[in-house]
Amino acid sequence: MRPNVNVKNRVAVVGAGLTLFRRRLLETPQELAWIAAKQALQEAGLDFKDVDCVVSGSAPDAFDGVHMKGEYYVEGVADGKPHVRVYVGGGTGVFVPVAAWWHVASGLCKRVLVLAEEKMSSAAQPHPQAVFKHIWDPLIEKPLNPNLIWIFAMEMHRYMYRCGVKKEDIALVSVKNKRNALDHPSAQAAGRITVEDVLNSEMLVYPVNRLDVSPVSDGAAALVMVSEEWANRLTDNPVWVEGIGFNLDSTNWTNRDLSFPVYVRRAAEMAYRLAGVTNPAKEIDVVEPYDPFDYKELHHMEGLGLCAPCGAAKLTREGLTQRDGELPTSPSGGLLGVGNPIAAAGLMKVAEIFWQLRGEAGARQVKKDAVTGLAQAWGDLMQVGTVVVMRR
């Protein structure tokens, strides 16, 4: 990390935890949060009493059905501790460690429990999609009664047209990620599928088929982030958070060219400056881009500067994004394979980079000697970008 007078402490991740990702888990939000937190603390060699601060994140309160649910799901986890919940839509899962970084780097806290929880299954009937009825501009958009699949179909279509990308190229992402998830113990939607399976699955809104989309999920994830002093006490193998980035674009998504995620590029540039990364395509060894839809993995790789605009489909087609490729991408299996409890899914990606850089990803371990990794998430009306760069 480049010297910065405002950074008092270098920040490391020393533990991670993850629940199963499933639809209709029987555990309560509080139980999910506690299970993930306990795992992360055990991996770090700490207990709840050792935590100075808790930083958490979750998507809209409507998912768990509890108003101000941040105060609800940390019961038994943050009792008597300073606690703050952050929320930037789908970008939340990577924004939680960004906010935790502030707490440690500033010197406010030395040992921070980082938590993300989501319980979507019971949000609304017949489908949690109904929660998103209330995110639209009440005058311009809501009279059209849109839903998220519609606008992402428009974005996917625009990306395909602008970049000359075929549906077959995009489907390769779903095939790869669901296969990678076969090695993930928390995975909900792993499988061996083909491009034809994706193309022949139910058409939701052209060009989006059912197997282009991640599932509805419940789950929780947690990290332990500490100061350099505590990292050196706790482990010989810390993973340093070297760069953080976040950006918010206009809510007027209809006025933007949807073929390129400018908000991701700006967030990545911020993280790269802090981490001293000048050529991400050469310096990032393993990446977990946000993939709630298969085309979004390609879209986000381009926004992250890991290839030229419109160049991600070629990398995927040529196998460079496989676990044994030059740029292993979503080795966890991503949201498409592991599942998509929104905030927890983003933090799952940070946890995966942590395990990959420690060489502890088991059957998911990438072939190359990965030193630098990146996790990214995206949210709201195609406007939030959040990025974390980590090194061992």
Side-chain angles (χ1 to χ4, degrees), residues 144-157:
L144 300 174
N145 197 26
N147 65 45
L148 287 182
I149 301 289
W150 290 8
I151 65 167
F152 297 139
M154 284 192 280
E155 186 178 65
M156 181 174 172
H157 205 184

Side-chain angles (χ1 to χ4, degrees), residues 234-269:
L234 293 169
T235 180
D236 295 328
N237 198 16
V239 173
W240 303 101
V241 180
E242 297 283 65
I244 57 163
F246 47 98
N247 191 266
L248 177 68
D249 207 333
S250 165
T251 191
N252 294 310
W253 59 274
T254 52
N255 296 346
R256 287 188 260 125
D257 184 349
L258 302 179
S259 67
F260 185 81
V262 174
Y263 45 91
V264 172
R265 187 196 69 196
R266 290 172 176 159
E269 287 174 347

Side-chain angles (χ1 to χ4, degrees), residues 48 63 93 96 109-110 117 182 205 221 230-231 252 257 292 321 378-379 389:
F48 288 104
F63 277 156
V96 182
C109 306
K110 294 183 178 179
E117 181 276 339
L182 288 167
V205 181
W230 273 96
N252 294 310
D257 184 349
T321 61
W378 142 86
V389 176

Side-chain angles (χ1 to χ4, degrees), residues 25-315:
L25 279 175
L26 296 179
E27 288 84 356
T28 66
Q30 295 156 318
E31 290 169 334
L32 291 172
W34 190 90
I35 291 168
K38 184 67 175 177
Q39 287 180 7
L41 288 166
Q42 283 181 334
E43 191 167 289
L46 296 173
D47 203 345
F48 288 104
K49 64 180 173 53
D50 301 317
V51 172
D52 298 323
C53 303
V54 177
V55 178
S56 77
S58 194
D61 290 353
F63 277 156
D64 286 32
V66 179
H67 182 53
M68 298 179 70
K69 68 176 179 178
E71 286 80 345
Y72 169 73
Y73 60 67
V74 296
E75 179 73 24
V77 171
D79 298 354
K81 311 284 185 183
H83 167 237
V84 62
R85 172 192 172 194
V86 296
Y87 169 49
V88 287
T92 300
V94 174
F95 196 61
V96 182
V98 168
W101 183 90
W102 302 332
H103 284 67
V104 180
S106 68
L108 179 66
C109 306
K110 294 183 178 179
R111 296 160 295 185
V112 176
L113 177 61
V114 186
L115 179 66
E117 181 276 339
E118 213 76 72
K119 196 166 176 68
M120 300 173 64
S121 300
S122 53
Q125 297 298 331
H127 194 278
Q129 177 74 226
V131 168
F132 297 113
K133 282 185 175 181
H134 309 290
I135 66 173
W136 311 98
D137 184 284
L139 297 179
I140 299 173
E141 297 163 348
K142 204 162 186 177
L144 300 174
N145 197 26
N147 65 45
L148 287 182
I149 301 289
W150 290 8
I151 65 167
F152 297 139
M154 284 192 280
E155 186 178 65
M156 181 174 172
H157 205 184
R158 174 62 182 161
Y159 175 69
M160 292 170 63
Y161 175 80
R162 174 74 173 77
C163 294
V165 172
K166 298 178 180 177
K167 272 281 294 182
E168 288 82 353
D169 294 327
I170 291 173
L172 286 170
V173 174
S174 191
V175 172
K176 170 179 68 71
N177 290 3
K178 286 181 177 294
R179 185 176 60 242
N180 284 348
L182 288 167
D183 296 319
H184 201 300
S186 293
Q188 173 184 355
R192 294 188 186 280
I193 63 169
T194 65
V195 167
E196 288 70 29
D197 291 332
V198 179
L199 301 181
N200 294 328
S201 62
E202 179 187 1
M203 177 63 69
L204 301 179
V205 181
Y206 182 82
V208 179
N209 292 81
R210 180 168 293 280
L211 288 177
D212 291 314
V213 186
S214 57
V216 171
S217 312
D218 302 339
L223 301 177
V224 177
M225 293 171 64
V226 301
S227 65
E228 183 169 14
E229 172 196 357
W230 273 96
N232 291 332
R233 286 193 201 183
L234 293 169
T235 180
D236 295 328
N237 198 16
V239 173
W240 303 101
V241 180
E242 297 283 65
I244 57 163
F246 47 98
N247 191 266
L248 177 68
D249 207 333
S250 165
T251 191
N252 294 310
W253 59 274
T254 52
N255 296 346
R256 287 188 260 125
D257 184 349
L258 302 179
S259 67
F260 185 81
V262 174
Y263 45 91
V264 172
R265 187 196 69 196
R266 290 172 176 159
E269 287 174 347
M270 177 180 172
Y272 293 152
R273 279 196 301 274
L274 198 59
V277 172
T278 57
N279 186 346
K282 297 293 185 185
E283 296 176 52
I284 301 297
D285 297 312
V286 55
V287 59
E288 283 280 344
Y290 205 57
D291 62 322
F293 294 75
D294 45 10
Y295 80 95
K296 291 301 288 187
E297 178 168 300
L298 307 178
H299 207 228
H300 291 154
M301 287 172 64
E302 294 166 16
L304 292 166
L306 300 173
C307 58
C310 302
K314 183 173 184 289
L315 297 186

Side-chain angles (χ1 to χ4, degrees), residues 353-374:
I353 294 298
F354 167 70
W355 286 318
Q356 288 287 345
L357 296 183
R358 296 237 295 196
E360 296 176 349
R364 306 188 307 281
Q365 190 67 45
V366 301
K367 292 294 183 186
K368 68 189 298 186
D369 183 25
V371 174
T372 304
L374 180 151

